[in-house]
Amino acid sequence: MKLDQSVVLITGANRGIGLEFARQALARGARRVYAAARDPASVRLEGVMPLRLDVTDPAQVIAAAKDYGDVTLVVNNAGIAMPGGFLADTDLSATRRQLETNFIGMLQMAQAFAPVLAKNGGGALLNVLSIASWINRPVLGTYGASKSAAWALTNGLRHELREQGTQVTALHMGFVDTDLTRGMEVPKSTPQDIVRLAYEGLEAGAMEVLADDITRQVKQSLSTPAAAYLAAV
């Protein structure tokens, strides 16, 4: 999947990684970039077309697929993260909110845009996941569950969309220096590096992009007796 002359739709494109996806899509020669956000007025990047899209609203997702039928790449970036483990979320509100956005929202986008991508020659889905797809610790337990579900969704979509020629690429990374991680004293990658590696992997036909060292280490550990998700720390 080449970015040059592509038509890209990016969810959650008003800030952070989503905004950087839009910037680099333009720099890589995308013919058109739709920058989707709940509030399109919050998209202030010159050269993109802002559009109103809440991925948790089925009507808005269906309307977007109908109105923007020239899309060849969907970057499923919209997501939320709420701190806390499973036992702390006694009313399940955090779990439900994160699953609704991070899993159901991504699924609805795939269902709505799969026919659009097929019509336009196959195209690609780039799903923004996380190292938390594989590790569920109390600090981000319920968030991790939503990203684990999104990883399973991505792996399933890859097989379901293969026949129509749609590339499905998963992006995994650790902490990134955005508003989402402000105040967290942990090593962080830059949005610029993460997006650059994501697009490089997409253009190379990669099924998964592991965008930093810690993510590569965790993924490698999964097939060993010392898998990272078993460790206490």
Side-chain angles (χ1 to χ4, degrees):
M1 171 75 198
K2 299 302 180 184
L3 270 292
D4 187 48
Q5 294 304 305
S6 63
V7 178
V8 186
L9 188 151
I10 302 158
T11 63
N14 57 324
R15 61 179 184 168
I17 296 175
L19 179 59
E20 187 60 27
F21 269 117
R23 285 197 186 102
Q24 292 196 30
L26 291 172
R28 287 175 176 266
R31 179 161 51 89
R32 188 171 294 113
V33 176
Y34 299 119
R38 289 179 176 176
D39 176 11
S42 65
V43 177
R44 299 183 178 91
L45 178 63
E46 186 176 352
V48 304
M49 181 179 297
L51 64 97
R52 184 182 306 278
L53 180 58
D54 179 347
V55 299
T56 69
D57 185 330
Q60 287 190 24
V61 172
I62 292 169
K66 180 180 178 181
D67 294 342
Y68 304 99
D70 55 348
V71 169
T72 60
L73 169 62
V74 175
V75 180
N76 279 314
N77 167 74
I80 60 172
M82 302 172 70
F86 296 106
L87 299 183
D89 188 24
T90 54
D91 65 357
L92 301 183
S93 59
T95 301
R96 289 192 173 96
R97 279 193 63 197
Q98 291 172 107
L99 283 169
E100 192 68 31
T101 300
N102 301 345
F103 173 66
I104 300 295
M106 186 179 289
L107 173 56
Q108 291 181 154
M109 287 293 294
Q111 289 175 336
F113 278 90
V116 174
L117 297 176
K119 181 192 69 174
N120 294 329
L125 292 175
L126 175 58
N127 289 350
V128 178
L129 305 178
S130 171
I131 195 174
S133 302
W134 306 312
I135 301 176
N136 299 89
R137 300 277 167 72
V139 65
L140 289 171
T142 54
Y143 171 76
S146 72
K147 287 299 187 177
S148 295
W151 182 44
L153 169 63
T154 302
N155 293 334
L157 289 171
R158 187 175 295 116
H159 299 297
E160 292 189 35
L161 296 176
R162 181 174 285 117
E163 186 175 350
Q164 72 173 40
T166 297
Q167 176 182 339
V168 179
T169 298
L171 170 63
H172 295 273
M173 68 279 189
F175 292 105
V176 183
D177 190 11
T178 65
D179 291 345
L180 198 65
T181 62
R182 183 174 296 159
M184 299 178 70
E185 297 300 322
V186 293
K188 302 173 187 177
S189 300
T190 67
Q192 292 82 2
D193 284 344
I194 296 297
V195 172
R196 174 179 56 81
L197 289 170
Y199 278 149
E200 286 176 357
L202 182 79
E203 293 198 314
M207 290 186 285
E208 283 194 328
V209 176
L210 310 180
D212 54 32
D213 287 340
I214 185 63
T215 300
R216 288 186 281 272
Q217 292 167 14
V218 167
K219 179 65 185 298
Q220 187 174 22
S221 82
L222 297 182
S223 61
T224 73
Y229 60 83
L230 298 174
V233 178

